[in-house]
Amino acid sequence: NILAKYVDNYHRAHGLILGDWIGCAICNKTSDWIHHIIYRSQGGSDEAANLIALCDYHHKCSHFLAEPYLTKEELYAKKLC
């Protein structure tokens, strides 16, 4: 299962276990998504360096407002919405 693979990669990279609370990297609300910074459709990997935890709101912003994607620095600098 692809989803399980990258969620597991994110958890392992951050020393978490499945079920641990993860905050959105932008607003620190509970994350709903593990987001690919560089989309898989554009060659992005499922490795932890390409993944970021986002709440539903910021996940939607990252897809609908980014051209074509935001860098990790931009995401962490809160340059969304």
Side-chain angles (χ1 to χ4, degrees):
N1 178 325
I2 289 288
L3 175 64
K5 176 185 172 189
Y6 64 82
V7 169
D8 184 56
N9 286 352
Y10 182 88
H11 279 77
R12 278 188 286 114
H14 295 281
L16 303 168
I17 59 171
L18 202 57
D20 280 352
W21 180 87
I22 303 171
C24 173
I26 295 168
C27 69
N28 207 36
K29 290 182 181 177
T30 300
S31 67
D32 301 297
W33 300 91
I34 303 297
H35 173 73
H36 288 83
I37 297 165
I38 300 174
Y39 300 158
R40 290 177 57 226
S41 63
Q42 296 183 352
S45 74
D46 292 329
E47 298 305 313
N50 190 45
L51 302 173
I52 189 169
L54 296 174
C55 66
D56 192 52
Y57 176 78
H58 286 112
H59 184 248
K60 287 176 183 169
C61 290
S62 72
H63 280 280
F64 297 112
L65 300 180
E67 295 185 19
Y69 59 86
L70 297 175
T71 66
K72 190 172 220 171
E73 291 76 24
E74 288 170 324
L75 287 166
Y76 280 118
K78 303 178 183 173
K79 293 182 181 175
L80 282 178
C81 300

